[in-house]
Amino acid sequence: MDFQLKTLGLAQAATEKADALVVLVPATGANGKDRIASLVAAARKSGDLGDKAGKQIATYRPEGIAATRLVLAAVGQGDAAAVRSAVLAAVQALKSASPKRVVVLFAGAADAAGVSAAVSAAADASYVYTTTKSKPEPRTLRSCVIGVDKPAPLKPAFDTAVALVQGVEFAKEWGNRPGNHCTPTQLAEAARSLAKLPRLKCEVLGPKEVAALGMGAFMAVAQGSAEPLRFVVLRYQGAAKGVAPQVLVGKGITFDTGGVSLKPAAEMDEMKFDMCGAASVLGVFRALGELQPAINVVGLIPTCENMNDGRAIKPGDVVTSMSGQTIEILNTDAEGRLILCDALTYAKRFEPEVVIDIATLTGACVVALGGVRSGLFSTDDALAEALHAAGEASQDRCWRLPLDDEYAEGLKTQFADVANVAGRAGGAITAAKFLQRFTSDFPWAHLDIAGTAWKSGAAKGATGRPVPLLMTYLLGRQDAAKAASPSGKSARKPA
Ligand code: BES
Ligand code: MN
Ligand code: ZN
């Protein structure tokens, strides 16, 4: 989809040709004598358009307005959350009309966060998955114009938002693909396809190399599958070689049956989404290639299937991880932490500034936080705060959960250094405590996205989260580095 940021006042907007004109109306303001301002005034007077965000009025072929459809959408105080929900609702409601060109007009003051929210919401609401349909009905929305008073100061935020859409949609695409169209090999190929972007490199390891590295925990999960595992190493170099990278580690289970500790049949199809952590890492690299910030980033993706088979691991099996720690696999369905722990050990060689893993790790996190906020765990307060703030700023929120050592009690066992599960209580935290054992060499954060990476039910599909959170965090690192050395030239493309 093509986005455009344009100077557009209320009066001009009336003459703007479009299949739909969505006017974001704040609680106060947007006054005037022109056609749109009069309609807004009338709608306010009648009480049909309250001053609270959420209300919408749609009309067809309104007189004196060039657009075919007009939607007045209340955005209250005009904060980014209100803009996001108003644009989502408007574009969703317009879907049946299959508009090709939509204009979203800020009738009040527009700020960077609002413009970003409008772009991401328009993309989210018009996204369609087509890859495995025989007669695809592709997205009809071709062009989205964002109309504001003064575009110049908003242009950087707009450009970032448009690049973010690319990343989010890349993550959605791979998240949505069924397991037989997103094998570990295919996922690694998707990563490799990103290496054509500037400053990006991709290396893919197979079973032999992974065995040579001693990744016994990762190999154990993969051994029950006919599909060979892959270990993806993505590198983005936007800063000098010596600058410590931010390392992202994404869980890439392309299908999770649970293994011998088999999952129930109901909704098991949703376990095709168990590689959404990996997809979010791919999405971030897609956006990095677009924006080219002056930072270094490494992406690590351990990817395999978790299958039930004659060769599969059994409850009670003990394996040796790359770190040397032995692990008793008491539940083969707690496989995410087994592939992640070896990737975390591997991360050390990059002498990272921080390591962040992203994983659809536990059902317990869905119980704790639902689909609104991802679970955040960290051994480093500054990192936790930066990630939390990035989530707030990008409307891709997370919430920090604790890592007290008492939570690790249940992971003790007589038969190995650690067990891969504790009891049912605090399941998201005990999973994080398991991972923490492999992170002593660097500041570390873990995002449990089990509740936020996809939606169930009628709107079933990948969300592309937490690409916005991660990208906002990473761009913040660039700003921090720039502030530390003001002479350091940005590697960012001139706009
Ligand atoms: N991929 C699942 C986590 C999951 C479950 C995400 C449901 C979203 C919805 C993970 O591999 C898993 O199976 N975790 C187990 C851990 C348990 C065995 C300790 C879980 O959450 O039930
Ligand atoms: Mn599992
Ligand atoms: Zn899983």
Side-chain angles (χ1 to χ4, degrees):
M1 182 166 45
D2 179 51
F3 284 97
Q4 212 189 319
L5 183 68
K6 196 169 162 177
T7 314
L8 214 54
L10 280 185
Q12 280 169 292
T15 64
E16 185 80 14
K17 283 209 177 87
D19 299 303
L21 170 62
V22 177
V23 184
L24 304 178
V25 184
T28 54
N31 306 315
K33 291 217 176 336
D34 58 89
R35 188 74 192 117
I36 295 176
S38 325
L39 278 172
V40 167
R44 276 203 185 117
K45 203 168 168 199
S46 70
D48 283 17
L49 197 69
D51 50 11
K52 281 213 200 83
K55 279 226 174 169
Q56 311 225 331
I57 305 172
T59 52
Y60 185 71
R61 291 200 185 285
E63 222 183 287
I65 286 168
T68 311
R69 297 165 191 84
L70 173 70
V71 181
L72 301 181
V75 292
Q77 299 310 310
D79 53 288
V83 169
R84 175 165 176 83
S85 61
V87 175
L88 270 178
V91 176
Q92 201 78 52
L94 285 164
K95 233 177 179 174
S96 57
S98 307
K100 291 190 188 64
R101 178 181 161 86
V102 170
V103 175
V104 177
L105 175 71
F106 281 79
D111 61 7
V115 166
S116 308
V119 168
S120 96
D124 268 339
S126 61
Y127 169 86
V128 266
Y129 169 82
T130 56
T131 309
T132 44
K133 297 268 195 120
S134 71
K135 297 181 191 67
E137 286 173 40
R139 163 191 256 154
T140 49
L141 188 54
R142 292 265 148 257
S143 143
C144 178
V145 175
I146 309 288
V148 297
D149 237 6
K150 289 194 199 73
L154 301 169
K155 183 77 163 89
F158 171 80
D159 289 340
T160 301
V162 173
L164 252 166
V165 167
Q166 307 280 316
V168 165
E169 296 199 347
F170 200 81
K172 284 186 181 183
E173 167 65 18
W174 284 95
N176 282 332
R177 285 198 190 199
N180 65 332
H181 293 263
C182 173
T183 63
T185 304
Q186 288 169 317
L187 195 61
E189 282 310 312
R192 224 197 282 274
S193 78
L194 293 172
K196 63 175 185 283
L197 295 171
R199 303 176 184 204
L200 243 144
K201 280 198 194 115
C202 177
E203 188 188 348
V204 178
L205 312 186
K208 270 199 199 123
E209 291 97 332
V210 163
L213 284 165
M215 293 185 166
F218 178 23
M219 285 159 59
V221 175
Q223 77 190 32
S225 168
E227 290 289 339
L229 64 75
R230 292 288 183 261
F231 188 79
V232 176
V233 183
L234 277 160
R235 288 168 206 247
Y236 167 78
Q237 199 195 325
K241 255 212 163 101
V243 175
Q246 315 285 316
V247 177
L248 306 178
V249 179
K251 172 177 172 182
I253 295 290
T254 59
F255 196 82
D256 182 9
T257 66
V260 169
S261 314
L262 191 64
K263 285 185 180 294
E267 278 119 48
M268 204 210 272
D269 66 288
E270 295 193 4
M271 284 300 120
K272 73 173 183 177
F273 293 116
D274 212 16
M275 35 55 69
C276 281
S280 76
V281 173
L282 296 182
V284 163
F285 276 79
R286 178 75 186 78
L288 286 173
E290 208 70 36
L291 285 169
Q292 298 185 51
I295 47 171
N296 292 335
V297 188
V298 171
L300 303 177
I301 299 177
T303 174
C304 67
E305 291 181 333
N306 185 22
M307 298 293 282
N308 193 348
D309 174 80
R311 279 188 210 285
I313 39 169
K314 306 168 293 296
D317 284 1
V318 173
V319 299
T320 304
S321 66
M322 185 179 172
S323 71
Q325 297 178 69
T326 59
I327 303 166
E328 185 185 23
I329 302 174
L330 287 174
N331 189 320
T332 66
D333 198 10
E335 85 298 339
R337 59 198 79 179
L338 296 174
I339 72 170
L340 289 170
C341 70
D342 281 342
L344 289 168
T345 301
Y346 187 84
K348 185 185 173 191
R349 66 184 56 202
F350 299 100
E351 295 174 21
E353 182 165 274
V354 305
V355 177
I356 304 166
D357 77 73
I358 309 104
T360 49
L361 202 63
T362 64
C365 194
V366 190
V367 174
L369 296 171
V372 180
R373 287 180 187 261
S374 304
L376 165 66
F377 300 83
S378 185
T379 49
D380 186 282
D381 288 342
L383 177 57
E385 270 156 41
L387 288 169
H388 183 267
E392 299 296 318
S394 61
Q395 314 280 317
D396 185 6
R397 295 179 304 244
C398 60
W399 196 258
R400 192 174 182 185
L401 295 168
L403 283 170
D404 301 283
D405 279 337
E406 289 91 330
Y407 285 109
E409 279 299 309
L411 295 171
K412 288 189 175 151
T413 165
Q414 301 92 300
F415 301 108
D417 299 343
V418 65
N420 77 327
V421 290
R424 272 170 58 87
I429 308 172
T430 57
K433 288 306 285 182
F434 177 91
L435 293 177
Q436 190 189 345
R437 299 176 60 98
F438 302 86
T439 65
S440 50
D441 294 316
F442 38 73
W444 164 73
H446 157 59
L447 286 164
D448 192 332
I449 58 166
T452 52
W454 77 89
K455 290 188 176 128
S456 307
K460 193 195 285 183
T463 59
R465 292 177 68 182
V467 173
L469 183 163
L470 292 168
M471 274 309 291
T472 305
Y473 163 76
L474 290 173
L475 294 174
R477 297 315 305 153
Q478 166 181 250
D479 296 343
K482 257 196 239 156
S485 74
S487 59
K489 268 212 253 147
S490 162
R492 208 157 157 177
K493 269 189 301 194

